[in-house]
Amino acid sequence: MRVTGKNSGRFSALRLLKEALIGHRGWKPGWRNPVPKKKYDVIIVGGGGHGLATAHYLASKFNITSVAVIEKGWIGGGNVGRNTTIIRSNYLLDGNEPFYEFSLKLWEGLEQDVNYNAMVSQRGILNLIHTDAQRDAYRRRGNAMMLNGADAELLNTEQVRAECPFLNFDNNRFPIKGGLVQRRGGTVRHDAVAWGYARSADSHGVDIIQNCEVTGFRIRNGKCSGVETSKGFIGAKKIGVAVAGNSSRLMGMAGMRLPIESHVLQAFVSEGLKPIIPGVITFGAGHFYVSQSDKGGLVFGGDIDGYNSYAQRGNLPVVEDVCEGGMALMPMIGRARLLRMWGGIMDMSMDGSPIIDRTGIEGLYFNGGWCYGGFKATPGSGWVFAHLLATDEPHRTATELRFDRFQRGYMIDEKGSGAQPNLH
Amino acid sequence: MIIDHPLLGPRDSAEFTYLGDASLIDRPDWQDKKAACKFYEYLYLRDNPAGEHRELWYHEAGDRSWLVVTRNTVTHEITKVELARSVAKARGRSK
Ligand SMILES: Cc1cc2nc3c(=O)[nH]c(=O)nc-3n(C[C@H](O)[C@H](O)[C@H](O)COP(=O)(O)OP(=O)(O)OC[C@H]3O[C@@H](n4cnc5c(N)ncnc54)[C@H](O)[C@@H]3O)c2cc1C
């Protein structure tokens, strides 16, 4: 059922033309600001990308429209509005790659699905190669990607030079020997993802409740029947938690300890420059990745700070490290001035891969452990979580993203660095 | 962040590497009947508090000692720094 009349209606070129003629007085807010009802079929805790996407797919694909998304601040104020907006599906392992490729395919149809311009731009992602061993590893990764229906292309030095002549190819320690490129990867306007999903979910009847903090779960005899919030108790048959960096705090309220540590990741934006960086470029010899926003700013980042943190700001050693990586790769950025920098809190899991699963408590479901790579997962995560909430069965691409994989010894550890979250 | 090393005085945190929750000092007994379960919890599960956190830092670019640092994860303020060996000894480890 689509709620019509109250909301902002369908966007189209014709509508834009019509509004232009009447002085743009017909536009309405993108979503309502409802008072919470006493009870819903499903409550989603966390109005980030994943929570809002879950609500959208629950309502539009699984026909569950008695849904509330409960957000402690405003939607889009968490990591969904703080990331460097890179989307890709260049994973190696079978537990991950089908899921991320499923997500990338959903990005490709997202704007039509939610009727919102999210500026999905498949400008390509290029991972640079600096050694022979790295070329072998990337060739293997590219093959794994293709086996799962994704695209991958191995470039030699000259091919990279033709696309990105400004890179420092003759760096003494880290000469560029080629690259692995995924042309379908790219960037997306992150805020628009939150707004687009919110607007669509709302139009299907989902209540988006902002400025409402979940402070506890009502659990009796191993069954969860709702959440305590700053606006009182709200009941539900099923509760899905998708709070990213706050995962341990929320699940702690339900008495659970998670295989997760919270860490801070920083991001940086330079002043606006003329178009120079064609897609997303990542340095293969240090941690540095960069793209250029449509406004012209260079958007870049690197490693997490490396210690447990709930402060949405980082420290200077990582700033220095990121800038050194940038200078080694493309010395021309030394002239650009930094405009802004900020931090967000990552839910770093013990093997670097996410969890979308039931819990030991009936009616309580969990979605988290996204580390620094959950933005690209937003559509896939929403769909898969909606599938789990609606059917109680994992989606076919998420059968390995389980809680018990650590106990059973089935870690999905892309890097092979073990139970050490700050190394993933 | 500045870590006030008990032996060396105030040092830049960039000289250290971070391991994680100081509960890692309490390695379970491998002969315990519930060893498999205890090692699972020891290796993978964390309290991950927002607020005061006791954690292990290694002075890699210094005297290579392990420290237990008490730090607030919301403000990054460090309130206590101890030698990890003193902490372990006080808990009856390494006689
Ligand atoms: C600097 C940075 C760069 C990144 N770059 C990339 C990238 O290039 N590509 C990529 O794929 N990923 C990237 N990520 C990771 C990605 O942003 C996250 O993994 C993803 O956004 C997390 O999911 P989310 O959008 O649902 O989280 P969030 O937007 O953080 O949503 C969680 C929400 O839960 C709410 N919440 C918390 N506690 C409560 C409570 N008690 N009650 C109610 N609500 C609560 C929060 O307020 C928040 O709005 C980056 C992250 C950061 C910080």
Side-chain angles (χ1 to χ4, degrees):
Chain A
M1 177 200 62
R2 269 194 181 246
V3 180
T4 44
K6 297 178 211 156
N7 66 346
S8 51
R10 251 194 97 70
F11 291 154
S12 67
L14 189 68
R15 171 112 189 267
L16 190 61
L17 196 69
K18 222 173 91 188
E19 288 294 339
L21 295 175
I22 57 164
H24 293 286
R25 275 169 313 203
W27 302 114
K28 297 242 171 61
W31 50 90
R32 296 161 296 135
N33 226 342
V35 180
K37 295 182 192 126
K38 285 214 167 58
K39 200 169 166 34
Y40 293 90
D41 285 347
V42 179
I43 285 176
I44 307 293
V45 186
H50 292 215
L52 294 164
T54 306
H56 160 78
Y57 293 116
L58 269 175
S60 66
K61 299 287 181 292
F62 295 92
N63 258 326
I64 298 177
T65 52
S66 166
V67 178
V69 176
I70 301 184
E71 165 57 48
K72 75 171 172 188
W74 62 93
I75 60 165
N79 290 342
V80 69
R82 291 168 181 268
N83 62 75
T84 42
T85 80
I86 302 166
I87 62 165
R88 56 189 171 90
S89 69
N90 53 2
Y91 285 72
L92 175 72
L93 300 177
D94 285 343
N96 276 331
E97 181 59 11
F99 168 79
Y100 285 104
E101 177 54 21
F102 175 64
S103 192
L104 189 54
K105 290 208 171 78
L106 289 176
W107 282 117
E108 289 171 334
L110 175 81
E111 293 164 310
Q112 287 68 34
D113 184 20
V114 299
N115 179 231
Y116 202 87
N117 181 9
M119 294 162 72
V120 177
S121 166
Q122 294 183 294
R123 53 184 74 182
I125 175 163
L126 171 66
N127 302 126
L128 294 169
I129 293 169
H130 305 275
T131 64
D132 289 343
Q134 201 166 30
R135 183 184 300 108
D136 291 344
Y138 276 174
R139 187 190 301 271
R140 179 179 175 215
R141 178 179 295 262
N143 284 332
M145 289 162 66
M146 288 194 284
L147 284 172
N148 284 294
D151 64 305
E153 214 179 298
L154 204 62
L155 305 185
N156 62 28
T157 314
E158 287 322 304
Q159 287 167 308
V160 174
R161 199 190 297 273
E163 291 184 26
C164 305
F166 50 82
L167 295 176
N168 185 3
F169 286 83
D170 305 316
N171 181 313
N172 283 336
R173 277 180 75 196
F174 312 116
I176 294 170
K177 299 288 191 187
L180 179 72
V181 63
Q182 181 175 33
R183 304 267 178 217
R184 288 165 58 245
T187 57
V188 183
R189 169 87 202 276
H190 52 6
D191 304 307
V193 174
W195 301 332
Y197 275 126
R199 181 172 167 278
S200 172
D202 176 89
S203 80
H204 283 91
V206 171
D207 284 355
I208 296 167
I209 298 160
Q210 304 183 74
N211 300 309
C212 181
E213 180 167 1
V214 169
T215 53
F217 297 96
R218 189 171 286 181
I219 299 170
R220 264 189 218 123
N221 302 325
K223 191 171 181 325
C224 185
S225 59
V227 292
E228 307 288 351
T229 77
S230 50
K231 295 186 178 175
F233 174 77
I234 309 176
K237 291 179 196 151
K238 293 181 177 179
I239 294 103
V241 176
V243 293
N246 285 296
S247 292
S248 297
R249 294 170 89 177
L250 261 290
M251 300 316 276
M253 295 173 193
M256 288 176 69
R257 288 174 84 216
L258 302 184
I260 286 176
E261 281 179 6
S262 294
H263 285 257
V264 59
L265 175 66
Q266 306 189 59
F268 310 83
V269 172
S270 79
E271 60 189 326
L273 303 168
K274 286 188 176 168
I276 173 76
I277 314 258
V280 181
I281 303 172
T282 76
F283 188 27
H287 209 153
F288 175 81
Y289 44 87
V290 61
S291 66
Q292 189 167 17
S293 78
D294 292 343
K295 276 193 284 185
L298 302 181
V299 181
F300 57 96
D303 266 326
I304 55 174
D305 271 42
Y307 43 81
N308 287 42
S309 175
Y310 282 90
Q312 287 175 321
R313 59 188 159 75
N315 275 301
L316 290 171
V318 166
V319 178
E320 189 180 8
D321 186 63
V322 170
C323 293
E324 279 170 359
M327 288 301 288
L329 185 64
M330 30 197 272
M332 68 176 181
I333 74 167
R335 295 194 160 231
R337 275 165 298 193
L338 205 59
L339 208 60
R340 294 187 290 133
M341 54 194 266
W342 63 91
I345 302 306
M346 316 282 77
D347 34 342
M348 298 297 298
S349 70
M350 284 287 167
D351 61 358
S353 295
I355 297 161
I356 303 178
D357 202 357
R358 290 175 283 242
T359 67
I361 298 155
E362 201 187 323
L364 186 60
Y365 300 75
F366 178 74
N367 173 325
W370 292 102
C371 303
Y372 43 77
F375 178 66
K376 70 175 91 67
T378 306
S381 165
W383 185 300
V384 162
F385 201 32
H387 185 283
L388 180 71
L389 284 160
T391 66
D392 265 312
E393 291 293 327
H395 185 265
R396 67 184 156 76
T397 63
T399 51
E400 295 188 31
L401 307 179
R402 306 161 53 129
F403 265 121
D404 67 0
R405 65 174 185 262
F406 301 96
Q407 195 155 17
R408 292 162 58 243
Y410 287 94
M411 272 65 77
I412 312 172
D413 188 345
E414 290 274 338
K415 267 201 188 162
S417 44
Q420 186 66 43
N422 63 354
L423 297 183
H424 286 295
Chain B
M1 293 185 293
I2 302 287
I3 295 178
D4 196 0
H5 192 301
L7 304 176
L8 305 175
R11 312 296 310 185
D12 187 337
S13 67
E15 293 176 5
F16 296 77
T17 22
Y18 179 80
L19 185 67
D21 195 310
S23 67
L24 287 167
I25 291 175
D26 301 320
R27 194 182 171 84
D29 176 4
W30 64 275
Q31 288 177 309
D32 191 298
K33 279 207 182 73
K34 292 187 186 149
C37 181
K38 286 193 171 165
F39 267 101
Y40 157 66
E41 289 176 3
Y42 168 81
L43 256 177
Y44 296 113
L45 302 187
R46 298 287 181 269
D47 288 340
N48 192 21
E52 197 168 274
H53 189 227
R54 295 186 79 210
E55 53 200 27
L56 286 163
W57 290 76
Y58 176 59
H59 200 190
E60 187 169 28
D63 72 344
R64 301 194 194 164
S65 58
W66 282 95
L67 305 181
V68 173
V69 175
T70 306
R71 191 179 56 93
N72 188 310
T73 58
V74 177
T75 61
H76 294 165
E77 190 195 358
I78 294 171
T79 46
K80 196 171 178 186
V81 184
E82 304 152 272
L83 286 173
R85 64 191 296 268
S86 318
V87 174
K89 269 192 170 165
R91 294 199 210 177
R93 283 273 313 282
S94 76
K95 282 131 212 156

